[in-house]
């Protein structure tokens, strides 16, 4: 796990470069030091903005304060605390369409 948003972006950048396995999805806490989760989500999307077949992994915001803008600024979100069934549902929404 990344300790802040900057580290999370670095992990995804390394995966995109082939330095480690790619991510199917990224679970990102909205409130993190250095770079918050929503800024990190935007930075991750920017990594994949250029030409090419690679698509950014979906970024699922995790927040205790679920606001509509959290969902608009990420692929989806989960309000904390959440149940395993909630996590499975959001992963199903975000990952299944990409695999099709």
């Amino acid at each position: 796990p990344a300790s802040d948003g900057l580290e999370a972006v670095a992990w995804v950048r390394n995966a995109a470069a082939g330095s480690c396995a790619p991510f199917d999805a990224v679970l990102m806490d909205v409130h993190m030091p250095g770079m918050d989760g929503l800024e990190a989500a935007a930075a991750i999307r920017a990594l994949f903005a250029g030409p090419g077949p690679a698509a950014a992994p979906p970024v699922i915001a995790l927040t205790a304060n679920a606001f509509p803008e959290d969902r608009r600024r990420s692929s989806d979100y989960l309000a904390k605390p959440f149940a395993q069934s909630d996590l499975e549902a959001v992963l199903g929404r975000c990952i299944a369409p990409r695999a099709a």
Side-chain angles (χ1 to χ4, degrees):
S3 59
D4 61 34
L6 293 169
E7 188 177 346
V9 174
W11 275 90
V12 174
R13 181 182 301 113
N14 289 340
S19 299
C20 61
F23 294 96
D24 291 324
V26 176
L27 301 177
M28 182 82 68
D29 196 316
V30 170
H31 301 287
M32 293 192 304
M35 174 188 277
D36 75 33
L38 297 176
E39 291 173 316
I44 288 169
R45 282 193 302 277
L47 291 173
F48 296 85
V59 178
I60 301 162
L62 304 177
T63 179
N65 302 309
F67 297 108
E69 61 266 18
D70 294 339
R71 186 168 192 168
R72 286 192 300 270
R73 294 175 64 191
S74 57
S75 302
D76 210 328
Y77 74 94
L78 282 169
K80 297 185 286 186
F82 55 86
Q84 181 175 339
S85 60
D86 296 332
L87 176 60
E88 291 169 355
V90 75
L91 290 173
R93 286 193 304 268
C94 291
I95 294 174
R98 295 182 58 180

